[in-house]
Amino acid sequence: MTAKKHSVGEHLRDQGVSRRAFLKFCTASASLLALSPGLIPALAAALEQARRPSVIWLSFQECTGCTESLTRSHAPTVEDLILEMISLDYHHTLQAAAGEAAEAAREQAMKDNFGQYLLIVDGSLPGPDANPGYSTIAGVSNYAMLMEAVEGAAAVIAVGTCAAFGGLPEAAPNPTGAVAVMDLIKDKPLVNVSGCPPVPMVITGVLAHYLAFGRLPELDEYHRPLAFFGQSIHDRCYRRPFYDKGLFAETFDDEGARAGWCLYRLGCKGPSTYNACATMRWNSGTSWPIEAGHPCLGCSEPRFWDAGSFYAPLSVPTGLSSNQVLTAGAAGVLVGGTVATLARRTVETAAVSRQPVTADELEQTL
Amino acid sequence: MTALADPMGFLLFTKGPLFNIAIAIFALGLAARLAEILLLGRRPNFAEPRAGEWLPGLRTVVTRTLPDPGTFKRAPFNVLTGLIWHLGFLVALLLFIPHIELIKGLFGISWPGLPNPFVDLVTAVTLVALAATLVHRLTHPVKQRLSTIEDYLVWAVTFLVVLTGYLAYNRLINPYPLALGLHILTAELFLIILPFTKLTHIFTAFIARWYNGASFGRRGVQS
Amino acid sequence: MSALSSIPIRVQSMSHGTANCGNAVPILHEVRHALERLIATGEGTQIDLNAIPFGPEDEAHLLAVLGVGEVRATIDALGPTHVQETAIPGVWLIDYRITEDQRLALHLDIGDIPEILRTQRQDLDTALTTLDARLTSAKDRAQFEY
């Protein structure tokens, strides 16, 4: 199952795909990559020359939601075309082979494409200092498998918030000592496609970009592709005009909620969340959480599980109760009372020990 | 992912542990100051009161808050910019919806807010007025000599709270978690220094005004 | 089921104002600029409507303003692509779909004619061979019939 060294253009012509169909595919890919439609001719030229890369997909401490997201990707034709253009040589959930045959396929692909293959990781993994027994595949610890696989990888794509930032396994108290892929891999090109799960088209979009341009896309400081994570949910939200007008839903069933007003007061994390949901949407472009009336959870951001209640507005501090404020206040009253008492006592002792002096006596001292 | 190393870690630190510390120092410090002032009280006055205390006290709270024509004529700039930025600060602090949510989250009480663009405009005016007060303080010969380090510290912290809030709302610092974190951080600095600087006047000014009025009233003097 | 049906559900009718289509108007202005550019320099513009944060009523509002023009064409390649001239000459709506009738992309094309309608030079390479092959087979058939 080695990668066929066909270019994408040849591959498509062999399959009888017309130029118009190819242009259409490029249009869909450009839309996916959030490229300006003016760049479609350049994309077409690049894709025409692209070669099919070998891909190894490792699944560690994950729930398979990311794979579900990808395989439910809208537009099966385009997704098929993109997946056609890569050679998915190992994915232990999707591949037919199991057990030793599967691991053999992985080792073969790694050997044949050393230095060339794309490594996709979903799920976090117990760090080098943690008990490796929390997650193993075929008796091999996640850490050992990742380190072995990364050696010959051209680039690493961490898919999902768990792989990108540690996600749920890493949430406090992090019993398995889970770490993110980027905590371990420092010397390879790495892209994080965060989200719980990520928008499926973003996963394919990164693959399309890699295919078209032979390198990973431009990244933000969290190593996320700027094309998809460059703007916040809030900035691209169709409910933004309501935020600007100060029109907010205050419960899930008030007039404001029915009228589709801003969900900030219901805990929407859109202002601090960077993702493509607002434009790419979910379920074949049908809708997305905010359009369905639910505030954004901020699932594509680091530590979103530990960022306080999903339903507390962004401005509300995490984990503070008014009791603490009252306790501190009571302590303050105590301190103030003590200071006042001490001050009063100083005045009283001064009054007791006061020695009246007359003007004549003062003059005598001169 | 270690905390504080990135914008989201920074935001969560300012919203979590640091906020707890700041609010504890603020509550403790302010309660101590107020308890001290109120417990110390005043010397008992054995003279027969000539009139009530409460009404004149409350009246003075109002009259000393509103600028009187004489003061205005003498120092129009001080009165005007002072009034503008104090009002602007209060509007932004108490009527911006995310702030109302914060108070609601802490104490469970809330009130209606103003539309965001209005608060935004008020904040911009407040920033200009605050900048003007600094320029005035730096150029006015008397103010220049009167000013202490504390004055400049309090001005800087107040200005930074408003400025970072303005930048965060208008998303002029990116990424947003960094902008919001900076705003919360400066607000926490404000809370921490409040009980130990002249910022305490936020809570003591009205007590002092009431006391003045009450004292006048008791003696039958118009205030 | 009684528990479920006891939940009162009120279906809210969509408002007909511009409350939910705050993002259609800026796009219409962008179209206007593109038209001016087309008239002045002949340069076309494509706008990817998928990249615009549209609310539920934005698209309907946009399409209602643009209206329906004289030309309508369907391209059958990798699923249907519907090309529709709007009531504004020079403004085309291109709806790229896959065979399951799901939308891939929705473009506004401001120009003389959308690129995808033109015959592609690359396909012309096969034009002569295809025609020759058909001519040959037609000749064969003709000979066979005599």
Side-chain angles (χ1 to χ4, degrees):
Chain A
M1 247 172 71
T2 55
K4 294 187 192 84
K5 294 296 175 199
H6 263 337
S7 78
V8 169
E10 288 169 84
H11 187 77
L12 290 182
R13 264 197 298 279
D14 286 352
Q15 296 193 339
V17 176
S18 75
R19 184 69 186 179
R20 280 201 189 93
F22 181 63
L23 275 184
K24 181 172 178 173
F25 169 69
C26 292
T27 302
S29 299
S31 191
L32 209 64
L33 292 165
L35 294 176
S36 148
L39 290 174
I40 291 171
L43 183 74
L47 271 179
E48 183 124 49
Q49 303 300 322
R51 310 220 157 252
R52 296 176 72 212
S54 165
V55 172
I56 293 173
W57 183 306
L58 300 178
S59 302
F60 296 144
Q61 291 176 311
E62 47 85 44
C63 67
T64 315
C66 299
T67 299
E68 284 287 334
S69 173
L70 177 66
T71 53
R72 299 292 178 274
S73 170
H74 115 90
T77 318
V78 169
E79 181 227 311
D80 284 353
L81 277 178
I82 287 173
L83 289 182
E84 261 305 294
M85 290 173 195
I86 63 167
S87 169
L88 188 55
D89 293 335
Y90 176 81
H91 184 307
H92 70 202
T93 312
L94 295 182
Q95 72 194 137
E100 277 177 23
E103 300 310 311
R106 177 173 59 84
E107 276 154 26
Q108 189 64 45
M110 276 163 52
K111 212 174 98 195
D112 292 344
N113 303 291
F114 193 84
Q116 308 280 319
Y117 58 85
L118 267 179
L119 181 65
I120 299 184
V121 183
D122 72 319
S124 64
L125 59 158
D129 305 324
N131 182 345
Y134 281 119
S135 182
T136 62
I137 295 165
V140 180
S141 77
N142 288 170
Y143 178 73
M145 187 175 281
L146 176 67
M147 286 310 167
E148 188 198 356
V150 85
E151 218 170 295
V156 182
I157 304 176
V159 166
T161 297
C162 293
F165 304 130
L168 185 63
E170 188 252 13
N174 190 3
T176 63
V179 296
V181 173
M182 72 173 167
D183 292 335
L184 300 172
I185 294 170
K186 306 284 183 196
D187 55 351
K188 291 277 178 184
L190 178 139
V191 53
N192 282 327
V193 181
S194 63
C196 191
V199 180
M201 287 183 288
V202 176
I203 308 177
T204 46
V206 170
L207 287 175
H209 188 283
Y210 187 78
L211 273 173
F213 305 112
R215 58 182 165 78
L216 293 174
E218 217 184 317
L219 305 175
D220 72 1
E221 65 192 292
Y222 288 123
H223 293 274
R224 298 179 297 197
L226 275 171
F228 306 105
F229 295 93
Q231 276 164 313
S232 72
I233 294 290
H234 185 66
D235 285 334
R236 312 225 75 184
C237 182
Y238 78 98
R239 295 195 188 207
R240 176 66 183 270
F242 295 112
Y243 175 86
D244 291 337
K245 281 184 212 148
L247 297 172
F248 298 92
E250 292 185 45
T251 73
F252 281 101
D253 194 34
D254 63 2
E255 287 304 313
R258 293 203 189 101
W261 291 353
C262 176
L263 300 168
Y264 183 93
R265 304 185 88 160
L266 289 170
C268 184
K269 304 296 183 290
S272 62
T273 304
Y274 291 77
N275 206 341
C277 306
T279 45
M280 291 192 153
R281 303 167 166 209
W282 288 82
N283 298 328
S284 316
T286 307
S287 183
W288 58 295
I290 289 175
E291 190 170 336
H294 194 281
C296 167
L297 302 182
C299 77
S300 58
E301 294 301 311
R303 281 179 297 279
F304 86 100
W305 293 103
D306 292 331
S309 166
F310 290 150
Y311 301 99
L314 195 55
S315 59
V316 176
T318 53
L320 183 89
S321 67
S322 47
N323 278 349
Q324 281 170 278
V325 183
L326 290 178
T327 313
V333 170
L334 207 68
V335 172
T338 316
V339 172
T341 316
L342 287 177
R344 189 168 283 176
R345 194 163 299 161
T346 313
V347 172
E348 277 163 9
T349 44
V352 168
S353 61
R354 187 156 36 198
Q355 302 281 322
V357 180
T358 64
D360 290 341
E361 284 168 338
L362 266 180
E363 269 194 28
Q364 280 168 11
T365 61
L366 289 174
Chain B
M1 295 299 299
T2 44
L4 255 182
D6 62 288
M8 191 51 88
F10 173 62
L11 173 62
L12 292 183
F13 178 66
T14 58
K15 276 176 72 172
L18 200 60
F19 185 81
N20 291 358
I21 293 168
I23 203 88
I25 294 175
F26 163 74
L28 201 146
L30 185 70
R33 293 287 304 261
L34 289 181
E36 185 189 350
I37 292 167
L38 296 174
L39 284 175
L40 273 176
R42 294 279 157 174
R43 213 177 273 259
N45 190 339
F46 299 111
E48 185 94 359
R50 294 194 186 166
E53 291 189 331
W54 278 102
L55 213 63
L58 291 176
R59 195 186 314 125
T60 312
V61 168
V62 177
T63 54
R64 296 262 164 123
T65 306
L66 299 172
D68 74 293
T71 317
F72 184 75
K73 217 168 272 173
R74 260 176 286 122
F77 178 84
N78 288 329
V79 172
L80 212 61
T81 50
L83 203 66
I84 287 172
W85 88 253
H86 273 88
L87 281 178
F89 191 90
L90 283 175
V91 165
L93 176 68
L94 297 176
L95 298 177
F96 184 49
I97 282 162
H99 296 163
I100 295 176
E101 284 297 333
L102 166 64
I103 293 162
K104 191 170 144 196
L106 284 181
F107 303 107
I109 47 168
S110 71
W111 48 81
L114 286 172
N116 292 348
F118 181 77
V119 179
D120 184 44
L121 178 73
V122 167
T123 310
V125 171
T126 306
L127 279 174
V128 173
L130 269 170
T133 60
L134 180 70
V135 172
H136 198 241
R137 189 184 282 282
L138 286 170
T139 51
H140 192 277
V142 177
K143 273 192 177 179
Q144 215 179 31
R145 283 172 179 79
L146 281 175
S147 299
T148 61
I149 290 176
E150 187 194 319
D151 292 320
Y152 292 109
L153 174 78
V154 166
W155 180 90
V157 172
T158 310
F159 185 77
L160 281 177
V161 173
V162 185
L163 179 70
T164 52
Y166 182 81
L167 294 176
Y169 171 76
N170 288 290
R171 304 181 80 84
L172 297 170
I173 298 177
N174 281 308
Y176 182 75
L178 176 66
L180 185 59
L182 284 174
H183 178 56
I184 296 176
L185 178 72
T186 50
E188 284 161 353
L189 279 179
F190 188 91
L191 281 178
I192 289 172
I193 66 165
L194 193 152
F196 312 107
T197 56
K198 66 175 183 180
L199 284 173
T200 320
H201 80 272
I202 296 169
F203 296 91
T204 54
F206 290 95
I207 301 176
R209 280 170 200 169
W210 180 85
Y211 181 78
N212 262 337
S215 162
F216 287 140
R218 191 186 160 87
R219 283 178 275 159
V221 182
Q222 201 186 1
S223 59
Chain C
M1 285 314 283
S2 61
L4 266 185
S5 56
S6 68
I7 299 172
I9 293 172
R10 268 204 286 152
V11 176
Q12 198 80 359
S13 63
M14 287 292 208
S15 61
H16 291 287
T18 49
N20 269 331
C21 35
N23 288 323
V25 179
I27 296 303
L28 287 165
H29 282 280
E30 198 181 330
V31 170
R32 200 178 179 285
H33 284 296
L35 267 177
E36 283 173 347
R37 195 160 48 236
L38 180 68
I39 293 163
T41 67
E43 188 194 340
T45 306
Q46 289 88 36
I47 300 170
D48 182 357
L49 294 179
N50 277 11
I52 313 292
F54 269 0
E57 287 159 49
D58 274 322
E59 191 182 306
H61 182 65
L62 181 85
L63 298 186
V65 172
L66 291 176
V68 174
E70 292 166 341
V71 184
R72 182 177 303 198
T74 298
I75 297 149
D76 189 15
L78 212 72
T81 299
H82 305 290
V83 181
Q84 169 77 62
E85 194 189 24
T86 68
I88 319 292
V91 180
W92 301 77
L93 183 75
I94 311 177
D95 189 355
Y96 298 90
R97 288 175 179 265
I98 54 163
T99 31
E100 285 84 355
D101 212 35
Q102 284 176 357
R103 180 175 287 163
L104 276 179
L106 184 66
H107 280 195
L108 278 179
D109 192 309
I110 295 93
D112 298 329
I113 187 167
E115 183 61 27
I116 198 158
L117 277 184
R118 293 176 193 277
T119 304
Q120 302 294 309
R121 298 302 303 183
Q122 285 86 345
D123 289 340
L124 274 181
D125 293 346
T126 59
L128 283 177
T129 44
T130 311
L131 183 60
D132 286 346
R134 291 189 179 202
L135 273 174
T136 317
S137 67
K139 208 191 286 168
D140 287 349
R141 212 176 301 136
Q143 278 173 350
F144 182 75
E145 275 168 17
Y146 278 109

